[in-house]
Each structure stands twice: as C-alpha cells, then as structure tokens.
C-alpha cells in the first residue's frame, strides 16, 4: 500500500509540473498587449505634391488618441494633419538622392502610448517628364534625339529642381538685363565665350534661345569638347518650327555624356536675338559649320543650355 501511495503521489507531482510548463508556454505565446499592427509601409513615385496623403492613422489604444511625429530620417518629409500622415516637403522625395524615408509616430491616449513606424519607398520616374506638367505627353511621344518645345516655367523648374545642373551659354543676368534685344544676322554658327563651361561627364538636356523671326526651322544645337572655337558637333535633331522671341526645348533620350568639358553653341539659320554687354566675347563661323574662326565683342547671343552630370531620365 505504501508503494502504491508513493507512486500515486509522484504521478500527481509530475502531472502538475507538466500542466504548469504548458501554461507557461501559452503565456509566452501571447502577443505583447502594446505591440502595434498599425505601422505605415508603402511606396510612392518621386516628387509627390505637398499634402499628398501617405496613410491614415490608426491605433489600438482606447479613448481619444493624439499622434506626434517623433522621428524623420529626412527632416521635413512628413506632416500629421486631420487626414493622417501626409507629404510635407515634396522635393526631398527624390529617388536620385534617396530611395526611402523612415520615421516614427507616437500615439497616446494620455495614459498609454503606442509607437508606429513609417517606411516610405520612393519609386524612380523620368525626372524631366516629372516637371513637364503641360508638355509631358509630347515628351513621352518624342523619338530619341528629338527636341520638344516646352514652357518657360517648365524650363525653369528643370533648372531649379533637377540635381547637379549647370547652365552654359548666356548668363541668367544677361538674359534678364534691361538692355534692349537686338537682331543679329543669321546663317551662322555661334559660341559665347565665358566661364559657363559644362563639366566633364555632362548630359545636355534643355535649351533656350531668342528667335527674331516666326516660322523658324533648322536651328541646330551644337556642342564642342575641344574649346569655344570647336570642333562642334550636332546635338540631336534640328528644332521643330517655332516662332519669334524666347523658345524653350528639352531633348528626348540624352544618353551620351561629354568626354571632357563641354562648350555650347548653336547654328542659327535665321536672325536671332542678342544684347549689348561691354567686354562680352563670342565666336562665329559662316553657315552650319564645326569650326568658328571669327570673333565678335560687346554683344551676348541670347541662348542657354542646361546640363547635368547625373542622368535622371529614361
């Protein structure tokens, strides 16, 4: 009987220990009551508009919940509004600068807090197209090497917002100076001599110039990798027909960077605009030519190009 009692007692102890172990395992498997399933993770095309909604905000906390942005990997990227988490500074959503932006939000009901993580992936787009709000369809439909007419505002946006840009040709101060615009004789290839030289490895992608005549055609952008006098080669096709005053263009598919510093010129078959400027120098050659043996002074031909050393398009 004693042996049987001892056996039953030991059996009960082992049974209780096994149950206790199972209960402990169940307890460890329970989710943390403060673990959140409300994290924000999504992708968005680069350059979204400020105020674009990234996500609504939800919390597992009870009662009235307030949300506070506590961290941003890029300062100024996010804002919390009545709609939820939104884009603040749209310009930081630039794929060439970064491919994702992270952050954290603290939710609180006054007694408890919950932390929400943010992970926004940035999708790459053609940066030229992104700033052609009116001319975008024409750009997409263009053939490689084709110069597409764009608006002045679009040209300025490309100059201001694309990364690592350089302007060549006439200075901005020359283009907007109060000096009157004069007509210069056409059927010449011209090059402005100044410090605005394209860096090694540059892609020329935009151009503007002042045409003196309507229905102008066969205007050709030129580029030299030697010096301001040449030899010059054509960049893309000739411009499509356009009218007088300032005209602005982008080229589709600028794929070849300069092999060394670049010097910008143009062939003007018709009269073009220029402004007087003391001490200014420019070179020219008759016709559509590669070498510019002649020089002029005290006038600035009104043309300018934008290039970048970072290709940001398809």
């Amino acid at each position: 009987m004693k042996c049987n009692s001892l056996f039953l007692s030991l059996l009960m102890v082992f049974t209780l220990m096994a149950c206790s172990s199972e209960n402990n395992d169940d307890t460890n498997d329970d989710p943390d009551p403060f673990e959140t399933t409300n994290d924000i993770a999504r992708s968005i095309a680069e350059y979204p508009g400020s105020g674009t909604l990234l996500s609504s905000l939800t919390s597992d906390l009870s009662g009235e919940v307030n949300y506070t942005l506590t961290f941003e990997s890029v300062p100024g990227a996010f804002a919390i509004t009545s709609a939820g988490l939104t884009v603040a500074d749209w310009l930081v959503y630039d794929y060439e600068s970064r491919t994702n932006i992270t952050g954290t939000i603290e939710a609180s009901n006054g007694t408890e807090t919950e932390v929400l993580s943010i992970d926004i992936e940035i999708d790459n787009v053609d940066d030229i197209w992104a700033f052609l709000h009116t001319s975008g369809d024409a750009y997409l439909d263009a053939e490689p090497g084709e110069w597409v007419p764009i608006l002045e505002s679009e040209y300025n946006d490309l100059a201001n917002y694309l990364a690592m840009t350089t302007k060549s040709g006439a200075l901005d101060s020359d283009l907007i100076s109060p000096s009157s615009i004069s007509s210069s004789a056409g059927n010449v290839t011209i090059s402005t001599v100044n410090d605005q030289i394209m860096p090694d490895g540059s892609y020329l992608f935009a151009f503007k110039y002042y045409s003196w005549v309507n229905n102008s055609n066969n205007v050709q952008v030129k580029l030299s990798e030697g010096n301001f006098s040449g030899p010059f080669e054509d960049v893309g096709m000739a411009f499509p027909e356009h009218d007088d005053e300032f005209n602005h263009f982008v080229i589709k598919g600028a794929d070849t960077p300069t092999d060394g510093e670049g010097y910008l010129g143009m062939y003007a078959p018709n009269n073009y605009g220029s402004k007087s400027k003391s001490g200014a120098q420019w070179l020219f050659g008759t016709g559509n030519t590669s070498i510019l043996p002649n020089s002029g002074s005290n006038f600035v031909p009104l043309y300018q190009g934008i290039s970048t050393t970072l290709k940001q398009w398809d």
Side-chain angles (χ1 to χ4, degrees), residues 138 142-143 145-150 207 209 211 213-221 235-244 247-252 269-270:
E143 297 296 326
E146 184 176 346
W147 287 95
V148 180
I150 62 173
F207 195 93
Y209 94 103
S211 173
V213 300
N214 288 322
N215 309 120
S216 181
N217 51 36
N218 296 321
V219 175
Q220 182 68 61
V221 178
V235 179
M237 306 176 190
F239 288 161
E241 185 174 293
H242 51 278
D243 289 332
D244 63 345
N247 290 266
H248 305 77
F249 303 89
V250 293
I251 191 171
K252 180 68 174 292
N270 305 299

Side-chain angles (χ1 to χ4, degrees), residues 255-285:
D255 290 332
T256 306
T258 60
D259 184 15
E261 294 180 331
Y263 303 84
L264 186 64
M266 68 173 291
Y267 167 61
N270 305 299
N271 286 19
Y272 62 93
S274 60
K275 285 185 179 181
S276 62
K277 180 181 180 181
S278 178
Q281 292 183 306
W282 55 288
L283 304 178
F284 67 96

Side-chain angles (χ1 to χ4, degrees), residues 22 56 59 84 99 106 119 170 187 195 202 206 213 240 245 254 290:
E22 290 176 2
S56 58
S59 171
T99 57
E106 183 179 273
D119 188 0
N187 193 33
D195 294 332
S202 291
V213 300
E245 300 192 358
S290 63

Side-chain angles (χ1 to χ4, degrees), residues 120-190:
I120 306 299
E121 297 291 330
I122 301 173
D123 294 335
N124 193 24
V125 301
D126 184 320
D127 286 22
I128 292 178
W129 170 83
F131 291 103
L132 301 182
H133 303 299
T134 299
S135 311
D137 288 344
Y139 172 77
L140 292 178
D141 292 339
E143 297 296 326
E146 184 176 346
W147 287 95
V148 180
I150 62 173
L151 302 179
E152 180 179 13
S153 60
E154 294 172 328
Y155 178 92
N156 292 335
D157 283 347
L158 293 172
N160 292 332
Y161 297 130
L162 261 65
M164 304 172 68
T165 58
T166 298
K167 290 181 178 179
S168 305
L171 303 170
D172 284 339
S173 57
D174 296 332
L175 297 173
I176 65 174
S177 75
S179 299
S180 59
I181 300 177
S182 303
S183 175
S184 293
N187 193 33
V188 291
T189 301
I190 56 177

